[in-house]
Amino acid sequence: MTVTDAPPAAAAVGGTVLEASGVTMRFGGLLAVNNVNLTVREGEIVGLIGPNGAGKTTFFNCLTGLYKPTSGQVRFAGVPRKAPKPPKRKRVKKAPSAAAVDAVTVAVQVPSLPKLSPLPPKPRAVVRAGMARTFQNIRLFANMTALENVMVGRYSRTSAGAITSVLRGPKFRREEAATRARAQELLDFVGLGKSTEHLARNMPYGDQRRLEIARALATDPKLILLDEPTAGMNPQETKQAMDLIFKIRDLGLSVVVIEHDMRFIFTLCDRVLCLVRGETLVEGTPGEVQSDPRVIEAYIGSGEDDDEDDDGPQDVVEEAKP
Amino acid sequence: MTDVQTETPAAPEVAVAPKANPVAWPLGLAGVVLVIVGSFLSWSYDGTILNDLSIDFFPGGLQILAIVIAVLSLVLLLAAKGPLAALGSWLDATLGLRTFGTGLVLYMALVLVAISVESEGLINVNPGGYVTLVGALLIAVSGWLLPLRQLRNMKAAKLPGWVDILAIAVLMGSLLFLAAYALGLEDAWSFILCLVFIATAATGLFRTGAMSWVAQAGQRNRKVLTLASFAVAFLFPFTQDGSDANMSIATSVLVFAATAMGLNIVVGLAGLLDLGYIAFLGSGAYVAATLSQSAFATIGWKPPFLVVVLVGALVAMLLGLVIGSPTLRVSGDYLAIVTLGFGEIFRFAMFNLDGNNGPNLTNGPNGIPGIPDLELFGFNFGAVHHPFGIELGRFSNYYFLLLILTGGVILVFSRLNNSRIGRGWVAIREDEKAAEAMGVNVFGLKLLAFAVGAFLAGLAGTIKAHQDGAVSPDQYIFLESAFLLAAIVLGGMGTIAGVLLGATILKLLPEKLRFFSEYRLLLFGITLVLMMRFRPEGLVASRRRQLEFHEDDEHLAEVVENELVEEAK
Ligand SMILES: Nc1ncnc2c1ncn2[C@@H]1O[C@H](COP(=O)(O)OP(=O)(O)OP(=O)(O)O)[C@@H](O)[C@H]1O
Ligand SMILES: [Mg+2]
């Protein structure tokens, strides 16, 4: 992988990748997400903040097809659901992800972005379409090795069926080797290249988070959703995570990230959306959001259900100011 | 090699010889001598029991087994102190001696019980028996007096490649010999004693660490191990002198093992509980029966057997898909209940499709008898053949065919397991939601496991019909499904060796120990409960299953991880 250390701010923003309009999710009497709009463009890092229970994770679940929103629509411009011609599919498979980088940097190629279309109905189809995620409470395959975890992520981009697997022809072996190589490459990319054979459950917390990101990247996404990727990390690990997210963005991916760590969000994101009690409170650039008095107020106001170990409300916002 | 570096910290400890009780070693040696001498003397006054242990200086089979243990103990003694000391730094002689000694005491005690039960009282025990018992006690005592020592890591032992191969060959050879010997034993006491011997020898080899080294050797030479196993299985009929008695047991073990291995894909790999699996075997068998040349066959079409095999397997698979597609979307408990119901429905359907209610397909409770023997490429499976001048009867013919089938099922099992599909199954077992969210086709993979399992069972069924010569509904009762499942749980879910072992135990013991058949359900039940409590991963543990069953065992996770890292090198 050719990853150049591009300056964080210089993001090449392209066409619209994701467009959620009026997303509403109701659990019985509880309105967890209420009429939220979100647009994510190519190569953009969008932050999602809000006090505990604001509905951030629920909104993510709506975006990835895990929940079917009560109302509203999510449209996504990923990989076309069905490749029109077989040769094209082959090319997609063989082309290394470096091609994705070019797609971003070469402005002419931006129109090649497919049209927005409604989200496919199943989470699996959403992954195929090019959206991947991590979980707030890490959900790795605990008894598999790091490498195997990432290899599972390749599932939707490989095709060996039962008969191929039993016969073990050259095609099977080639695909298996490619899967392994790609998984190793991704582990190197997130900085776990030395932990290939380690069991996921034995890995330190920070490594598990990074492994989850590698697994999500293995699905060749256009858009990656990270649910609190630095929760429980120490400052140094948080810094590494930030660099990693920039690196991912520089591959040409769009990123949506939920975080409680305000400094992290305001340094990282091009745009920030603040949810409170399921509704959009503010949306704008980090500068706009952190200076908005309503955000500070929201964090103070929802004090009763704030976790103790969360960063305190207003001083964090204050601190994050340049 | 590079391992020397990791070795150095342990090396000084090896050099420090722990303080030994001065009498322990001579005691052990005396024990070995007594066992050997005692075994050359007569054990029993009565020559008609236990295959004749009554003649001095002409040891019977059971006496030779005792001598074998004594010789193994001698090797360990010499490894603890003496000419084989080099071996002693790798092998845990002390633990091995304790096992051999204790096992041999148990063995001899059982011999004495057997003699007194079979021929009226302890009075019939000759001095040789007591001498051997004392010898056994001495070995055990010496084992318990010898100190435990710090050992070098067996895995670091670097031996030439041919030693690995030789070890595998010796192991497999002894396996073949033991199997032939144990099956040849007519009376139950001898059989039980032989089992005690096998258990003692196997446990002893495990405790010394020799077995884990052999397992490593097997890992290093997997192809050789596989070939050797099949060679042993292939050679087995040639040890039977054309006798069909044991071959009939062996063929039923193979049918059972092949079916259990198919179910192992569903249960062990995909993690789905199927309680009606026997119905798939049954549907294959019924297809073969109705399309056979039998006078009672109900369908006029008589295709060649290769077509029948395909039809039987496909019908079973179709049934699997029909049952699976609505139920695999719901949670595990429903699936168990639905498959249980399906198994019963199948049986009732076969029972009732007799022309009175609906078409006559199965002759109802009478079933379809008189299915002729197979004839493939001019080879008649019913006839006696004489390859290399060795007589092979009808069951041996089927045995070879079933061996090919079992090999095929194992191949499908292991190749699916080590593929994208196998990884998908593991991911589903680990966390179904996360798997789905990572793009794994959860429903599709479950259905696939179900279909492949049903296909293989159907295939086995077509052969079973011809081998049995008849099909009837009462062959396919729920208990059979339960036994298949028990074989998997007992042997070790998701493993090949384990399920083969489980199937062999579950099928072989009731055949050999007739008296025990009344209690067999009780005993299996107790065994399974104990297994669930103490070793849920089964006799042969799959590494992954072991981890799954011991979620909070950090030490185990460390050990497994070290192995993984080691293997990756
Ligand atoms: N499956 C569900 N059924 C019922 N209520 C739910 C469900 N999932 C979430 N909720 C409720 O919806 C609200 C929003 O929860 P959500 O997990 O989305 O919050 P969040 O913003 O991610 O909070 P946190 O910062 O603590 O992760 C909460 O009140 C929660 O209890
Ligand atoms: Mg959340």
Side-chain angles (χ1 to χ4, degrees):
Chain A
M1 237 179 274
T2 48
V3 183
T4 45
D5 259 14
V13 176
T16 305
V17 174
L18 177 89
E19 191 182 81
S21 49
V23 171
T24 301
M25 186 75 210
R26 189 183 278 282
F27 297 113
L30 178 79
L31 200 55
V33 177
N34 186 13
N35 196 17
V36 175
N37 300 319
L38 176 70
T39 305
V40 181
R41 283 190 290 275
E42 223 175 10
E44 201 180 24
I45 304 179
V46 177
L48 200 55
I49 60 169
N52 291 109
K56 305 181 292 294
T57 301
T58 309
F59 184 56
F60 258 30
N61 289 342
C62 293
L63 295 184
T64 53
L66 217 59
Y67 292 162
K68 197 181 167 344
T70 317
S71 65
Q73 208 195 14
V74 180
R75 298 199 305 155
F76 182 60
V79 184
R81 215 183 314 169
K82 275 189 189 133
K85 286 179 221 150
K88 194 178 180 189
R89 186 187 280 174
K90 245 180 206 160
R91 218 188 310 145
V92 170
K93 215 175 282 168
K94 277 189 186 160
S97 67
V101 182
D102 303 338
V104 183
T105 45
V106 183
V108 194
Q109 278 196 311
V110 171
S112 76
L113 195 69
K115 270 214 201 122
L116 286 172
S117 55
L119 210 59
K122 291 186 203 124
R124 166 165 64 86
V126 175
V127 174
R128 271 205 70 87
M131 200 192 299
R133 69 171 298 172
T134 66
F135 294 90
Q136 180 172 358
N137 45 344
I138 301 172
R139 291 183 86 157
L140 286 166
F141 307 121
N143 295 318
M144 296 178 103
T145 64
L147 189 75
E148 286 168 334
N149 266 279
V150 184
M151 284 170 88
V152 171
R154 293 298 298 161
Y155 189 93
S156 57
R157 301 292 173 214
T158 44
S159 61
I163 293 172
T164 324
S165 301
V166 171
L167 296 182
R168 304 251 145 149
K171 179 178 171 283
F172 172 87
R173 269 181 248 153
R174 231 178 298 129
E175 189 181 277
E176 193 74 3
T179 305
R180 189 169 288 271
R182 177 85 174 118
Q184 182 63 53
E185 191 184 27
L186 284 167
L187 283 176
D188 292 335
F189 178 73
V190 300
L192 291 176
K194 294 230 160 58
S195 312
T196 313
E197 299 301 331
H198 289 229
L199 287 175
R201 72 189 231 183
N202 285 2
M203 295 172 84
Y205 196 76
D207 287 0
Q208 292 195 2
R209 289 244 176 245
R210 282 191 284 173
L211 178 55
E212 232 192 353
I213 293 177
R215 186 180 66 176
L217 288 175
T219 65
D220 289 350
K222 281 228 57 90
L223 168 68
I224 185 166
L225 306 172
L226 308 172
D227 199 341
E228 305 200 12
T230 71
M233 281 187 175
N234 62 34
Q236 197 205 338
E237 286 173 324
T238 306
K239 174 79 182 70
Q240 286 173 352
M242 198 179 310
D243 293 341
L244 178 59
I245 294 173
F246 280 132
K247 252 168 65 174
I248 291 172
R249 194 269 317 272
D250 294 340
L251 290 177
L253 273 69
S254 312
V255 183
V256 181
V257 51
I258 296 178
E259 252 312 329
H260 283 293
D261 182 339
M262 293 302 156
R263 192 179 320 167
F264 179 83
I265 281 284
F266 291 137
T267 322
L268 190 70
C269 299
D270 303 314
R271 220 145 37 78
V272 178
L273 179 75
C274 178
L275 284 186
V276 175
R277 280 187 220 91
E279 291 180 45
T280 307
L281 188 72
V282 195
E283 189 189 345
T285 63
E288 288 162 12
V289 173
Q290 67 186 304
S291 58
D292 195 306
R294 288 174 298 173
V295 175
I296 299 167
E297 198 182 321
Y299 269 85
I300 300 167
S302 70
E304 74 269 10
D305 51 21
D306 245 353
D307 277 352
E308 273 175 24
D309 56 8
D310 275 335
D311 293 296
Q314 84 275 41
D315 23 299
V316 178
V317 180
E318 296 288 309
E319 237 178 278
K321 281 182 184 166
Chain B
M1 293 250 148
T2 44
D3 293 87
V4 175
Q5 283 177 331
T6 52
E7 265 300 295
T8 25
E13 292 181 53
V14 177
V16 180
K19 246 178 64 178
N21 190 321
V23 294
W25 197 81
L27 218 54
L29 200 62
V32 168
V33 172
L34 281 184
V35 170
I36 295 180
V37 169
S39 300
F40 273 93
L41 298 174
S42 159
W43 282 3
S44 154
Y45 179 77
D46 189 343
T48 60
I49 57 165
L50 302 177
N51 295 328
D52 197 356
L53 307 173
S54 63
I55 308 172
D56 283 338
F57 309 112
F58 187 75
L62 292 178
Q63 288 165 313
I64 290 179
L65 294 186
I67 295 174
V68 169
I69 299 253
V71 170
L72 287 175
S73 306
L74 181 65
V75 171
L76 289 185
L77 276 169
L78 296 182
K81 195 172 107 187
L84 300 179
L87 205 59
S89 64
W90 305 99
L91 282 180
D92 197 332
T94 310
L95 278 183
L97 275 173
R98 288 180 190 174
T99 316
F100 286 148
T102 321
L104 199 54
V105 170
L106 178 70
Y107 179 84
M108 284 317 294
L110 274 174
V111 166
L112 300 195
V113 171
I115 294 175
S116 53
V117 168
E118 291 289 303
S119 66
E120 288 135 41
L122 276 174
I123 189 98
N124 286 303
V125 179
N126 271 350
Y130 293 114
V131 172
T132 314
L133 178 63
V134 171
L137 278 169
L138 289 185
I139 295 177
V141 169
S142 122
W144 289 100
L145 288 180
L146 280 173
L148 284 171
R149 297 190 305 172
Q150 182 81 33
L151 295 168
R152 293 203 281 168
N153 186 1
M154 201 75 144
K155 285 171 195 155
K158 294 284 178 232
L159 294 166
W162 60 266
V163 178
D164 287 4
I165 312 273
L166 186 70
I168 294 172
V170 168
L171 185 77
M172 287 298 156
S174 346
L175 210 66
L176 174 63
F177 185 78
L178 267 176
Y181 176 75
L183 278 171
L185 296 170
E186 300 285 319
D187 66 311
W189 276 111
S190 295
F191 187 72
I192 292 178
L193 283 164
C194 187
L195 289 187
V196 172
F197 166 79
I198 293 173
T200 304
T203 318
L205 289 178
F206 269 109
R207 305 287 307 257
T208 55
M211 223 44 162
S212 67
W213 178 78
V214 174
Q216 286 264 318
Q219 285 272 330
R220 282 192 292 266
N221 309 276
R222 200 164 290 170
K223 285 220 174 75
V224 177
L225 184 68
T226 316
L227 269 178
S229 316
F230 271 97
V232 164
F234 176 80
L235 288 176
F236 176 72
F238 295 95
T239 65
Q240 296 297 307
D241 299 327
S243 144
D244 263 355
N246 287 330
M247 289 318 297
S248 113
I249 299 178
T251 44
S252 66
V253 167
L254 271 187
V255 173
F256 190 70
T259 319
M261 194 56 82
L263 179 58
N264 198 16
I265 294 177
V266 182
V267 177
L269 297 186
L272 302 167
L273 188 52
D274 184 345
L275 294 177
Y277 192 70
I278 199 75
F280 299 125
L281 185 74
S283 38
Y286 263 97
V287 166
T290 47
L291 298 183
S292 75
Q293 303 281 354
S294 160
F296 300 89
T298 48
I299 295 179
W301 185 43
K302 313 279 179 215
F305 183 66
L306 288 180
V307 176
V308 174
V309 166
L310 208 63
V311 174
L314 287 178
V315 165
M317 185 167 95
L318 202 70
L319 282 175
L321 290 175
V322 168
I323 299 305
S325 40
T327 43
L328 288 170
R329 290 185 196 276
V330 294
S331 77
D333 316 346
Y334 289 98
L335 183 70
I337 293 168
V338 170
T339 50
L340 178 73
F342 165 68
E344 290 302 282
I345 290 170
F346 172 79
R347 189 164 64 84
F348 280 115
M350 295 304 106
F351 200 86
N352 286 320
L353 287 175
D354 56 356
N356 293 333
N357 328 292
N360 182 11
L361 271 180
T362 66
N363 290 331
N366 299 329
I368 300 172
I371 304 171
D373 277 307
L374 280 177
E375 176 132 13
L376 276 180
F377 310 114
F379 183 89
N380 187 338
F381 279 75
V384 175
H385 295 264
H386 294 89
F388 320 113
I390 299 169
E391 186 180 317
L392 292 177
R394 171 178 183 270
F395 282 104
S396 301
N397 301 335
Y398 281 104
Y399 177 91
F400 289 123
L401 184 63
L402 287 165
L403 197 61
I404 295 171
L405 171 78
T406 312
V409 179
I410 291 175
L411 190 80
V412 171
F413 176 92
S414 77
R415 290 200 159 172
L416 284 181
N417 191 15
N418 298 311
S419 71
R420 163 180 182 262
I421 291 172
R423 280 193 298 275
W425 281 330
V426 179
I428 293 173
R429 292 202 323 251
E430 291 273 326
D431 186 338
E432 199 171 314
K433 268 263 165 61
E436 179 85 32
M438 286 305 125
V440 176
N441 184 351
V442 172
F443 174 70
L445 279 185
K446 284 183 177 178
L447 198 60
L448 176 74
F450 223 68
V452 172
F455 183 91
L456 294 174
L459 211 155
T462 55
I463 299 176
K464 182 177 155 60
H466 285 274
Q467 185 223 311
D468 288 347
V471 294
S472 62
D474 55 5
Q475 287 172 306
Y476 304 102
I477 52 177
F478 167 67
L479 201 61
E480 293 294 325
S481 294
F483 271 130
L484 285 170
L485 212 55
I488 292 175
V489 172
L490 180 72
M493 265 184 220
T495 64
I496 295 171
V499 171
L500 291 179
L501 181 69
T504 311
I505 292 176
L506 250 61
K507 210 63 189 175
L508 190 61
L509 287 192
E511 293 280 356
K512 270 314 214 186
L513 307 174
R514 289 274 173 207
F515 65 89
F516 141 105
S517 65
E518 275 176 55
Y519 305 104
R520 104 185 148 138
L521 284 183
L522 180 70
L523 287 178
F524 286 161
I526 293 173
T527 313
L528 282 184
V529 170
L530 291 178
M531 288 292 291
M532 282 292 106
R533 171 66 188 80
F534 295 105
R535 203 175 158 80
E537 62 269 33
L539 292 174
V540 180
S542 130
R543 194 188 272 159
R544 187 104 59 195
R545 282 292 183 171
Q546 206 168 9
L547 287 172
E548 285 170 25
F549 279 115
H550 303 278
E551 286 289 355
D552 38 37
D553 189 340
E554 308 257 319
H555 175 69
L556 175 72
E558 291 289 324
V559 171
V560 170
E561 184 165 303
N562 287 337
E563 283 174 15
L564 285 169
V565 172
E566 196 75 19
E567 270 166 39
K569 274 180 198 162

